[in-house]
Amino acid sequence: QGQLVESGGGLVQAGGSLRLSCKASGYSTSFNIMGWYRQAPGKQRELVATLTRGGSTNYADSMKGRVTISNNNADNMVVLHMNNLKPEDTAVYYCYANSFITYWGRGTQVTVSS
């Protein structure tokens, strides 16, 4: 059975940086798109960034200039570099993968202290 394995969340001070990684394992397909969403308490899940197999990226307006998404030249993997983090970036960050079906990781907590 496939799963999306996330790593890299944690506690960081405002202005700091974090790197989130997600590796898909156990799937028989290569995903057309992978990325990250986040959900803060009391809020809906929202886009952070996505990356297609062709290399196209999409970033949330609130994150542009502060995040970079890549695949580290590996299939079925996505890495999110986040810089200049703000307290409002505090949320659970979920890895996302889609071919014809959408898959979600379990989530990793990111907490940014002021």
Coordinates of all heavy atoms in Angstrom, one line a residue, residues 49-82:
A49 N 2.2 25.2 -2.4 CA 2.9 25.2 -3.7 C 2.8 23.8 -4.3 O 2.6 22.8 -3.6 CB 4.4 25.5 -3.5
T50 N 2.8 23.8 -5.6 CA 2.7 22.5 -6.4 C 3.8 22.5 -7.5 O 4.3 23.6 -7.9 CB 1.4 22.3 -7.0 OG1 1.0 23.3 -7.9 CG2 0.3 22.1 -5.9
L51 N 4.1 21.3 -7.9 CA 5.2 21.1 -8.9 C 4.7 20.0 -9.8 O 4.3 18.9 -9.4 CB 6.5 20.7 -8.3 CG 7.6 20.3 -9.2 CD1 8.1 21.5 -10.0 CD2 8.8 19.7 -8.4
T52 N 4.6 20.2 -11.1 CA 4.2 19.2 -12.1 C 5.4 18.4 -12.5 O 6.6 18.8 -12.4 CB 3.5 19.8 -13.3 OG1 4.5 20.5 -14.1 CG2 2.4 20.7 -12.9
R53 N 5.1 17.2 -13.2 CA 6.2 16.4 -13.7 C 7.0 17.2 -14.8 O 8.2 16.9 -15.0 CB 5.7 15.1 -14.3 CG 5.2 14.1 -13.3 CD 4.8 12.8 -14.0 NE 6.0 12.2 -14.5 CZ 6.0 11.1 -15.3 NH1 4.9 10.6 -15.7 NH2 7.1 10.5 -15.6
G54 N 6.3 18.1 -15.4 CA 7.0 18.9 -16.5 C 7.8 20.0 -15.9 O 8.5 20.7 -16.7
G55 N 7.7 20.2 -14.6 CA 8.6 21.3 -14.0 C 7.9 22.6 -13.7 O 8.5 23.6 -13.2
S56 N 6.6 22.6 -14.0 CA 5.8 23.9 -13.7 C 5.5 24.0 -12.3 O 5.1 23.0 -11.6 CB 4.5 23.9 -14.6 OG 4.8 23.9 -15.9
T57 N 5.6 25.2 -11.7 CA 5.3 25.5 -10.3 C 4.2 26.4 -10.2 O 3.9 27.2 -11.1 CB 6.5 26.1 -9.6 OG1 6.9 27.3 -10.3 CG2 7.7 25.1 -9.6
N58 N 3.5 26.3 -9.0 CA 2.4 27.2 -8.7 C 2.6 27.5 -7.2 O 2.7 26.6 -6.4 CB 1.1 26.5 -9.0 CG -0.1 27.5 -8.7 OD1 0.0 28.7 -8.9 ND2 -1.2 26.9 -8.3
Y59 N 2.6 28.8 -6.8 CA 2.8 29.2 -5.4 C 1.6 30.0 -5.0 O 1.0 30.8 -5.7 CB 4.0 30.0 -5.3 CG 5.3 29.3 -5.6 CD1 6.0 29.4 -6.8 CD2 5.9 28.4 -4.6 CE1 7.2 28.8 -7.0 CE2 7.0 27.7 -4.9 CZ 7.7 27.9 -6.1 OH 8.9 27.2 -6.3
A60 N 1.2 29.8 -3.7 CA 0.2 30.7 -3.1 C 0.8 32.1 -3.1 O 2.0 32.3 -2.8 CB -0.1 30.2 -1.7
D61 N -0.1 33.1 -3.3 CA 0.3 34.5 -3.3 C 1.0 34.8 -2.0 O 2.0 35.6 -1.9 CB -0.8 35.4 -3.5 CG -1.3 35.4 -4.9 OD1 -0.6 34.9 -5.8 OD2 -2.5 35.8 -5.2
S62 N 0.5 34.3 -0.9 CA 1.1 34.6 0.4 C 2.5 34.0 0.7 O 3.2 34.4 1.6 CB 0.1 34.1 1.5 OG 0.0 32.7 1.5
M63 N 2.9 33.1 -0.2 CA 4.1 32.4 0.0 C 5.2 32.8 -1.1 O 6.3 32.5 -1.0 CB 4.0 30.9 -0.1 CG 3.0 30.4 0.9 SD 3.5 30.7 2.6 CE 4.8 29.6 2.9
K64 N 4.7 33.5 -2.1 CA 5.6 33.8 -3.2 C 6.8 34.7 -2.7 O 6.7 35.6 -1.9 CB 4.9 34.6 -4.3 CG 4.0 33.8 -5.2 CD 3.3 34.6 -6.2 CE 2.4 33.7 -7.1 NZ 1.6 34.4 -8.1
G65 N 8.0 34.3 -3.2 CA 9.2 34.9 -2.8 C 9.8 34.4 -1.5 O 10.9 34.7 -1.1
R66 N 9.0 33.5 -0.8 CA 9.5 33.0 0.5 C 9.7 31.4 0.4 O 10.3 30.9 1.3 CB 8.6 33.3 1.6 CG 8.4 34.8 1.8 CD 7.7 35.1 3.1 NE 6.4 34.7 3.2 CZ 5.8 33.9 4.1 NH1 6.6 33.4 5.0 NH2 4.6 33.6 4.0
V67 N 9.1 30.8 -0.6 CA 9.2 29.4 -0.7 C 9.7 28.9 -2.1 O 9.4 29.6 -3.1 CB 7.8 28.7 -0.4 CG1 7.4 29.0 1.0 CG2 6.8 29.1 -1.4
T68 N 10.3 27.8 -2.1 CA 10.7 27.2 -3.4 C 10.4 25.7 -3.3 O 10.7 25.0 -2.3 CB 12.2 27.3 -3.6 OG1 12.6 28.7 -3.6 CG2 12.6 26.8 -5.0
I69 N 9.8 25.2 -4.4 CA 9.4 23.8 -4.4 C 10.3 23.1 -5.5 O 10.5 23.7 -6.6 CB 7.9 23.6 -4.7 CG1 7.5 22.1 -4.4 CG2 7.5 24.0 -6.0 CD1 6.0 21.9 -4.4
S70 N 10.8 21.9 -5.2 CA 11.6 21.2 -6.2 C 11.4 19.7 -6.0 O 10.7 19.3 -5.0 CB 13.0 21.6 -6.1 OG 13.5 21.1 -4.8
N71 N 12.0 18.8 -6.8 CA 11.9 17.4 -6.6 C 13.3 16.8 -6.4 O 13.4 15.6 -6.4 CB 11.2 16.7 -7.8 CG 12.0 16.9 -9.1 OD1 13.1 17.4 -9.1 ND2 11.4 16.4 -10.2
N72 N 14.3 17.6 -6.2 CA 15.6 17.0 -6.0 C 16.0 16.0 -7.1 O 16.7 15.1 -6.8 CB 15.7 16.4 -4.6 CG 16.1 17.4 -3.5 OD1 16.0 18.6 -3.8 ND2 16.4 16.9 -2.3
N73 N 15.5 16.2 -8.3 CA 15.8 15.3 -9.4 C 15.4 13.9 -9.1 O 16.0 13.0 -9.6 CB 17.3 15.4 -9.8 CG 17.6 16.8 -10.4 OD1 16.9 17.3 -11.1 ND2 18.8 17.3 -9.9
A74 N 14.4 13.7 -8.3 CA 13.9 12.4 -8.0 C 12.4 12.2 -8.3 O 11.7 13.2 -8.1 CB 14.1 12.0 -6.5
D75 N 12.0 11.1 -8.8 CA 10.6 10.9 -9.1 C 9.9 10.7 -7.8 O 10.4 10.2 -6.8 CB 10.4 9.6 -10.0 CG 10.8 9.8 -11.4 OD1 10.8 11.0 -11.8 OD2 11.1 8.8 -12.1
N76 N 8.6 11.1 -7.9 CA 7.7 10.9 -6.7 C 8.3 11.5 -5.4 O 8.1 10.9 -4.4 CB 7.4 9.5 -6.6 CG 6.3 9.0 -7.6 OD1 5.9 9.8 -8.5 ND2 5.9 7.8 -7.6
M77 N 8.9 12.6 -5.5 CA 9.5 13.3 -4.3 C 9.3 14.8 -4.5 O 9.4 15.3 -5.6 CB 10.9 13.0 -4.1 CG 11.5 13.6 -2.9 SD 13.2 13.1 -2.6 CE 13.6 13.9 -1.1
V78 N 9.0 15.5 -3.4 CA 8.9 16.9 -3.5 C 9.5 17.5 -2.2 O 9.3 17.0 -1.1 CB 7.4 17.3 -3.7 CG1 6.6 17.0 -2.6 CG2 7.3 18.8 -4.1
V79 N 10.2 18.6 -2.4 CA 10.9 19.3 -1.3 C 10.4 20.8 -1.3 O 10.4 21.4 -2.3 CB 12.4 19.2 -1.4 CG1 13.1 20.0 -0.3 CG2 12.9 17.7 -1.4
L80 N 10.1 21.3 -0.1 CA 9.7 22.6 0.0 C 10.6 23.4 0.9 O 10.8 23.0 2.1 CB 8.3 22.7 0.6 CG 7.6 24.1 0.7 CD1 7.2 24.5 -0.7 CD2 6.4 24.0 1.6
H81 N 11.3 24.4 0.4 CA 12.2 25.3 1.2 C 11.4 26.5 1.5 O 10.9 27.2 0.6 CB 13.4 25.6 0.4 CG 14.4 24.5 0.2 ND1 15.4 24.2 1.0 CD2 14.4 23.6 -0.8 CE1 16.0 23.1 0.6 NE2 15.5 22.8 -0.6
M82 N 11.3 26.8 2.8 CA 10.5 28.0 3.3 C 11.5 28.9 4.0 O 12.2 28.5 4.9 CB 9.4 27.6 4.2 CG 8.4 26.6 3.5 SD 6.9 26.3 4.5 CE 7.7 25.3 5.9

